[in-house]
Amino acid sequence: GDSVTQMEGPVTLSEEAFLTINCTYTATGYPSLFWYVQYPGEGLQLLLKATKADDKGSNKGFEATYRKETTSFHLEKGSVQVSDSAVYFCALSDKGAQKLVFGQGTRLTINP
Amino acid sequence: DAGVIQSPRHEVTEMGQEVTLRCKPISGHDYLFWYRQTMMRGLELLIYFNNNVPIDDSGMPEDRFSAKMPNASFSTLKIQPSEPRDSAVYFCASRPTLAGTTDTQYFGPGTRLTVL
């Protein structure tokens, strides 16, 4: 079945550092890909998404490009802030399945 | 607009008691999803509804769990009897139908359940 694998956490960085969180997927079809973020004590919020190969999703300085050839959707940010500290989830949705499959989540902590 | 509303936000109960979690989806959304989040298993889909009808309940762990959606604006997830291993954060999410696409799910703030 469909699955999502994220890089193991937790990840700790200093403010203004470059961030990469790796995400690879396995799917039988051509899924849509998502990054969700969960701040402490809150539900998940959509951060960005891409619906087809080579699409780039971006929001709040974060970017991820849908790479069909490597089945990846890595999350990047050029300069992180303390306020980016959260848990980040990569997810896919097979267009026929109507539901999301999540990775295990990566906890990110940014130190001032 | 109000987002997905869940109640209660926190629930502490004793083993063997019945627990009912409630969700109000965003108005106009015709898909509703129930998830469970634990440290050990991450985020798991339990069940989802379309137009108030359960579509896939393969994630419901056992017969102690049941979910209903009596109308478009309300859903419940019930655990009877509850056990300590049910302790988790339970999320409800909703989304609209958009022809030809699979779109974003909108999550509620979650209910943190502790079963003693």
Side-chain angles (χ1 to χ4, degrees):
Chain A
D2 295 349
S3 66
V4 175
T5 302
Q6 286 182 238
M7 94 190 251
E8 292 279 336
V11 175
T12 302
L13 296 172
S14 297
E15 205 165 21
E16 299 183 3
F18 183 85
L19 168 71
T20 300
I21 301 177
N22 290 339
C23 171
T24 57
Y25 67 89
T26 302
T28 52
Y30 298 95
S32 294
L33 301 174
F34 305 81
W35 277 100
Y36 278 81
V37 59
Q38 184 181 26
Y39 297 105
E42 299 183 10
L44 279 70
Q45 306 172 21
L46 178 70
L47 180 60
L48 53 83
K49 68 178 182 181
T51 58
K52 61 183 188 296
D54 299 325
D55 269 3
K56 177 185 283 188
S58 62
N59 186 25
K60 299 181 181 179
F62 291 89
E63 293 183 339
T65 300
Y66 189 140
R67 300 285 188 204
K68 182 165 172 279
E69 63 276 11
T70 54
T71 62
S72 65
F73 194 55
H74 304 321
L75 182 68
E76 297 182 336
K77 186 174 185 182
S79 177
V80 293
Q81 306 301 312
V82 173
S83 57
D84 294 327
S85 298
V87 181
Y88 291 81
F89 292 90
C90 186
L92 69 81
S93 181
D94 189 312
K95 294 179 175 62
Q98 305 295 345
K99 58 187 182 182
L100 289 170
V101 175
F102 285 91
Q104 68 269 39
T106 302
R107 182 175 298 277
L108 174 67
T109 301
I110 306 299
N111 294 321
Chain B
D1 288 339
V4 175
I5 298 172
Q6 291 187 247
S7 64
R9 292 294 309 276
H10 301 274
E11 176 81 34
V12 180
T13 190
E14 293 189 345
M15 183 173 65
Q17 296 299 305
E18 178 179 293
V19 175
T20 299
L21 311 182
R22 297 172 176 81
C23 175
K24 176 179 169 57
I26 294 172
S27 177
H29 285 192
D30 47 8
Y31 281 88
L32 184 140
F33 303 81
W34 281 101
Y35 292 89
R36 178 172 68 175
Q37 184 180 39
T38 61
M39 290 293 292
M40 291 296 295
R41 300 174 68 91
L43 199 61
E44 304 172 275
L45 176 66
L46 300 178
I47 185 171
Y48 77 94
F49 296 83
N50 179 220
N51 291 323
N52 313 335
V53 176
I55 302 300
D56 183 350
D57 65 354
S58 59
M60 296 286 263
E62 49 197 276
D63 291 345
R64 298 184 297 107
F65 285 69
S66 62
K68 294 181 180 179
M69 193 164 185
N71 57 61
S73 59
F74 184 65
S75 178
T76 60
L77 178 67
K78 185 175 295 186
I79 309 172
Q80 166 63 17
S82 58
E83 296 183 2
R85 61 193 168 114
D86 301 330
S87 298
V89 180
Y90 292 81
F91 289 104
C92 177
S94 69
R95 73 164 180 85
T97 295
L98 293 178
T101 70
T102 302
D103 210 351
T104 308
Q105 291 184 19
Y106 297 81
F107 282 74
T111 295
R112 181 174 295 278
L113 173 64
T114 303
V115 183
L116 304 175

